[in-house]
Amino acid sequence: MKLDPFYLIVDSADWIERLVPLGVKLVQLRVKDRTEAEIRREIRAAKAVCDEQGCQLIVNDYWQLAIAEGCDFVHLGQEDLAEADLTAIRAAGLKLGLSTHDETELETALAAKPDYVALGPVYPTILKAMKWAPQGLPRLAGWRNRVGLLPLVAIGGLNVERIAGVFEHGADIAAVVTDITRNADPEGRTREWIARTAPWR
């Protein structure tokens, strides 16, 4: 499975409506602390934009809603993976992405036969408090050998200056949140990410 090397992660359909039309082809909707009805509306709005723009939408966590809304990709963290019904996810035809932060989590993830594996944080991140130290580029290269042909996503503290390094150490995809959403010019930064990831597209 081939996914775009630029993986945008945002927390609202508003961001998707704003940035996806610039040429984003892979985006995750990661909504937290909202009611189920609100999350359903966010997924529905995000999916409409992505369908129109030819962008792959990945729903974070809410696999039941992803199934109900006809989405085709869900991303789960390790805690969510433990509680998810993988049989139902597969029966609905959803592809599956999984987060990993250490060797044990990688083994758990690989046993679930995901469609991609994410490793993070590669660098220090300001997005959320992490109990894991930054993994660094050598760990990324090690994960590359472990996951075989599975697409490998690098996440955590990435910016345009660090893009080349993660690809040179085995990542197939670079995921980004704050380098775009907290940038003074999110649209300009998005265009820069699209341009800088072009050699791996």
Side-chain angles (χ1 to χ4, degrees), residues 17-141:
E17 290 166 1
R18 183 174 169 182
L19 299 179
V20 164
L22 301 176
V24 176
K25 295 303 176 186
L26 182 64
V27 67
Q28 181 186 128
L29 177 64
R30 180 161 66 188
V31 183
K32 301 289 185 184
D33 304 320
R34 305 281 287 275
T35 67
E36 182 174 318
E38 288 171 332
I39 294 166
R40 184 184 293 271
R41 283 196 295 272
E42 289 284 321
I43 292 173
R44 194 168 289 175
K47 185 174 185 297
V49 174
C50 289
D51 286 351
E52 179 181 315
Q53 298 292 329
C55 177
Q56 174 72 69
L57 174 64
I58 300 177
V59 175
N60 182 264
D61 291 354
Y62 298 98
W63 58 270
Q64 297 100 324
L65 289 175
I67 292 172
E69 292 301 317
C71 300
D72 59 8
F73 221 126
V74 66
H75 180 94
L76 300 177
Q78 292 279 323
E79 292 178 3
D80 304 295
L81 174 62
E83 299 172 0
D85 185 340
L86 294 183
T87 302
I89 289 171
R90 293 302 190 192
L94 266 71
K95 298 179 181 69
L96 176 65
L98 296 174
S99 295
T100 65
H101 306 88
D102 57 35
E103 292 287 341
T104 301
E105 290 191 350
L106 179 61
E107 291 298 329
T108 301
L110 293 177
K113 295 182 170 52
D115 294 283
Y116 75 72
V117 168
L119 172 67
V122 177
Y123 291 99
T125 176
I126 60 173
L127 182 63
K128 56 184 177 179
M130 290 287 226
K131 65 181 182 180
W132 299 276
Q135 305 285 339
L137 296 177
R139 173 67 67 89
L140 194 60

Side-chain angles (χ1 to χ4, degrees), residues 5-7 9 119-127 136-137 140 152-167 171-181 183 189 193 197:
F6 168 44
Y7 185 0
I9 301 177
L119 172 67
V122 177
Y123 291 99
T125 176
I126 60 173
L127 182 63
L137 296 177
L140 194 60
L152 178 62
V153 177
I155 186 170
L158 298 191
N159 55 39
V160 289
E161 292 76 27
R162 292 169 168 168
I163 288 172
V166 297
F167 288 115
D172 300 292
I173 300 161
V176 58
V177 187
T178 58
D179 190 55
I180 288 176
T181 61
N183 192 280
R189 196 64 155 177
W193 267 84
T197 52

